[in-house]
Amino acid sequence: MSVPSLGPDIEIPGPVPLPYSEAQRAISKRRRFDSFWSRYIDPTTYEGEPNRSKALRYAFALSTMTLSLLVNALLAPMLGDAVLAIPLGGLIFGTLLGGLGPGLASLLLGILSEKYYFIPPMGQLFAITPEGAIRLAIFIALGLLNVSVSNSFREAFRQITRDRVALKSASHLVDAIVENLPAIVFVKEAKHLSFALINRAAEHTFGWRREEMRGKTDYDFFSKREADFFRAKDLSVLDSGKLVEIPEETVQSRDRGTRLLRTRKVPILGESGEPLYLLGISEDITETIAAENERKRLAAELEVSVRAREQVLAVVSHDLKNPLSAIRIAVDGLQQQSAGNVRMAGLVKVIRSSALRMERLIRDIVDLAAFEAGSLALERKQEDVNAIFEDARLEMQPLAERKSIRLSFDASGARNRSVVGERNRIYQVLSNLISNAIRHTPERGAISVSAQLRGQEMRFEVRDTGPGIPPELVPHIFKRYQKGDSTQSGMAGLGLSIAKAITEAHGGRIGVETAPNAGAAFWFTIPAEPARGKAFGATA
């Protein structure tokens, strides 16, 4: 059996529970009585407004007045005359039950009854003696006074009830807010620093139910070291009368291990300024701190990895380029000496091709790393589209002719407008797309290269008549080490990812349109020069 507590040292025994059947009957009787009282008698029910109808209020008031007049008639022979106090008492009660209107109606009934039955000449309503007139006037004056005072009391009772209901609703609202806050909320009595209130989050964090903690102090739940720390902070808050913030404090919970809290404590003062309670609001930052520590650890590991990558790139870009340059020089010398030896010339050609491929791979790796790090600056200038196409034609035409591929260029859609960017990088993207198209287009196929002005962008397109790209590979085509045709070999799969990085560095876009056995059309956009007479960035 639970024992209600009046404090840390005072306890009183709780009520002895009734047997189930008796308790149920008692509750049922109480409910019926409360329902009858609030519906028919209590003038200050829910929100201060009676549940009774207007007709019922008049009936209650008039019935009460009639009953008081009958009692007055019974007592009049014993007292020698009519007693005014009894009808006036009924008038008061009727006004409290019904209000001003029913009270005045009851007063009218009382006036007529007094005149007809108790004020001579009796049995007549309009004939009256001087003494009777005085008595009737006194009754009317006292009746009006009683109706007015009773109605004022009734309105006061109703207002008190409305205030009580509003206060109760506000209290329920505050309780619901505190209970459902994700933060830990607790209130301690200032005198003993015992818990007076804790919310659901506090129960979850500490591990004890509020019934267990209410009326007890920190020493009943936490270690002495922790309790001493909490008490010292509580006393400093109460002494200073100001809010105190504790950035981090540890607490050993009942079943969740050590928790790390960020706490704010503030005193709740009485009217005279003395502290009555201490309010504490805590945030469990255990997971937040753990996540922050993990983030710092990963950032440190990433920084180490970045430095290691930079060191590797430095080795690749410097220490490997020099030996490759020496190999190319030696190959050029061997090529001259093997002019009459077919077998030797073939070997020299393989060596030279491998050296060129290695140089291109090193350049791609360094470029991609520079773009990802944002350390590669672009020298933006206005570049002529026809000039870029001419460079591409001179380099790519021999490669296309080896496979009898028809390679065509069309810059008519550019409308004689230039592009804004770094020429070598734009050419790098275009040549990469054309060389890929040559590689995947069968002999006697066709490749068309075009440029078309679209708004403030120049769209370059390389369209081939190859086998196309499988649909499942299209979403990954611009990722590093991914190729449009998995059967092709000899390349590292960096070309399209580098093309994407260069295009995006210029502020453009890149994409592909393809279908199986219908060829592929790779395109990319580069900002175009402003139209004449318009500022850069204006719509053409």
Side-chain angles (χ1 to χ4, degrees):
M1 179 179 67
S2 62
V3 179
S5 173
L6 295 179
D9 301 318
I10 303 175
E11 293 184 348
I12 60 172
V16 178
L18 298 173
Y20 177 77
S21 58
E22 282 189 50
Q24 289 297 100
R25 284 196 294 271
I27 292 173
S28 179
K29 289 180 181 179
R30 179 65 182 176
R31 287 177 178 172
R32 287 198 297 270
F33 175 77
D34 289 344
S35 176
F36 176 80
W37 176 266
S38 63
R39 183 175 296 275
Y40 300 113
I41 299 179
D42 185 11
T44 57
T45 54
Y46 179 69
E47 292 187 353
E49 298 295 337
N51 291 332
R52 302 179 297 276
S53 66
K54 187 175 182 179
L56 194 59
R57 290 191 291 114
Y58 272 92
F60 266 109
L62 293 174
S63 299
T64 302
M65 190 62 184
T66 302
L67 181 61
S68 65
L69 290 172
L70 291 175
V71 173
N72 190 42
L74 293 174
L75 295 179
M78 292 183 288
L79 299 177
D81 202 350
V83 180
L84 292 178
I86 295 176
L88 292 175
L91 184 63
I92 293 173
F93 192 66
T95 304
L96 288 175
L97 287 175
L100 182 61
L104 292 175
S106 299
L107 176 60
L108 179 60
L109 175 62
I111 292 172
L112 296 176
S113 299
E114 284 287 326
K115 172 61 189 75
Y116 191 83
Y117 292 105
F118 303 110
I119 298 177
M122 300 178 186
Q124 299 182 24
L125 286 176
F126 304 106
I128 191 170
T129 63
E131 295 82 4
I134 294 174
R135 176 175 174 173
L136 185 61
I138 294 174
F139 180 79
I140 293 173
L142 291 176
L144 289 174
L145 178 63
N146 286 343
V147 169
S148 177
V149 172
S150 300
N151 186 65
S152 298
F153 271 106
R154 182 176 184 272
E155 293 301 321
F157 292 155
R158 294 173 67 187
Q159 185 60 45
I160 290 173
T161 301
R162 282 192 288 266
D163 294 342
R164 186 177 71 237
V165 170
L167 181 62
K168 187 176 181 180
S169 299
S171 177
H172 286 168
L173 177 61
V174 173
D175 290 344
I177 293 174
V178 171
E179 182 67 14
N180 291 283
L181 279 176
I184 300 166
V185 179
F186 58 89
V187 176
K188 296 180 180 179
E189 296 179 359
K191 186 175 182 181
H192 301 291
L193 292 178
S194 56
F195 288 98
L197 179 147
I198 65 170
N199 69 343
R200 185 183 305 162
E203 284 185 316
H204 176 71
T205 301
F206 297 147
W208 283 276
R209 292 181 293 111
R210 65 193 70 191
E211 293 81 5
E212 297 177 284
M213 300 188 70
R214 191 177 292 121
K216 297 181 180 179
T217 67
D218 294 319
Y219 290 94
D220 296 309
F221 306 102
F222 309 114
S223 66
K224 186 177 184 306
R225 182 184 62 82
E226 291 179 338
D228 288 341
F229 176 81
F230 298 151
R231 180 179 176 82
K233 291 296 183 180
D234 293 346
L235 292 177
S236 68
V237 172
L238 297 176
D239 292 340
S240 65
K242 299 179 181 179
L243 181 144
V244 172
E245 183 172 353
I246 308 168
E248 291 184 10
E249 60 178 356
T250 58
V251 57
Q252 187 68 33
S253 65
R254 188 177 192 177
D255 50 11
R256 301 185 65 205
T258 301
R259 312 302 297 176
L260 192 61
L261 307 181
R262 179 182 293 126
T263 303
R264 294 176 178 87
K265 295 182 178 181
V266 63
I268 300 176
L269 306 179
E271 294 182 358
S272 59
E274 78 282 3
L276 299 179
Y277 296 96
L278 181 139
L279 169 65
I281 302 177
S282 299
E283 177 188 2
D284 190 344
I285 58 174
T286 307
E287 283 75 17
T288 303
I289 295 299
E292 179 64 18
N293 292 336
E294 180 67 12
R295 186 193 67 80
K296 291 180 179 178
R297 184 186 67 81
L298 293 176
E301 292 182 356
L302 179 60
E303 186 177 357
V304 172
S305 300
V306 169
R307 285 200 299 266
R309 187 184 69 170
E310 290 176 350
Q311 292 174 358
V312 171
L313 290 176
V315 172
V316 169
S317 61
H318 182 269
D319 295 350
L320 292 183
K321 278 185 177 180
N322 291 337
L324 284 174
S325 299
I327 292 175
R328 287 190 60 185
I329 293 173
V331 167
D332 291 340
L334 289 174
Q335 191 171 14
Q336 295 176 0
Q337 297 179 8
S338 61
N341 190 331
V342 177
R343 183 172 180 275
M344 181 65 71
L347 294 175
V348 171
K349 184 177 180 181
V350 171
I351 296 173
R352 188 174 188 278
S353 176
S354 299
L356 290 173
R357 186 180 299 114
M358 182 63 70
E359 280 188 347
R360 187 163 55 250
L361 177 60
I362 292 173
R363 183 194 64 188
D364 289 347
I365 293 174
V366 173
D367 285 350
L368 184 60
F371 276 115
E372 290 179 347
S375 59
L376 187 62
L378 296 174
E379 297 182 5
R380 300 175 188 267
K381 297 179 182 178
Q382 291 188 6
E383 300 292 346
D384 182 60
V385 175
N386 289 291
I388 297 174
F389 275 10
E390 181 62 20
D391 290 345
R393 188 187 64 79
L394 292 175
E395 181 179 359
M396 297 297 166
Q397 189 67 46
L399 299 178
E401 290 177 352
R402 292 176 187 175
K403 297 180 66 175
S404 301
I405 295 175
R406 183 166 53 86
L407 179 62
S408 62
F409 293 83
D410 181 11
S412 60
R415 302 178 189 175
N416 295 321
R417 293 270 290 277
S418 302
V419 292
V420 179
E422 183 174 330
R423 178 169 178 169
N424 291 336
R425 293 298 180 181
I426 298 173
Y427 176 76
Q428 183 178 349
V429 176
L430 184 63
S431 63
N432 178 272
L433 298 182
I434 297 174
S435 63
N436 285 344
I438 294 173
R439 185 180 308 110
H440 295 291
T441 300
E443 293 185 358
R444 295 182 176 81
I447 298 174
S448 61
V449 183
S450 62
Q452 186 175 18
L453 181 65
R454 294 189 177 183
Q456 286 300 318
E457 289 183 331
M458 190 71 68
R459 176 184 166 114
F460 294 87
E461 182 179 282
V462 178
R463 183 178 296 273
D464 62 47
T465 58
I469 302 172
E472 64 273 11
L473 294 181
V474 172
H476 313 286
I477 196 67
F478 293 102
K479 297 178 182 179
R480 68 179 73 179
Y481 310 118
Q482 182 69 45
K483 299 176 228 176
D485 184 356
S486 59
T487 63
Q488 298 294 328
S489 61
M491 298 297 290
L494 293 176
L496 290 178
S497 60
I498 294 174
K500 181 174 185 292
I502 294 175
T503 303
E504 292 178 349
H506 279 83
R509 298 167 292 117
I510 191 169
V512 61
E513 299 169 1
T514 182
N517 301 318
F522 281 86
W523 57 267
F524 67 98
T525 62
I526 299 293
E529 68 165 332
R532 293 181 180 179
K534 294 187 178 181
F536 184 79
T539 303

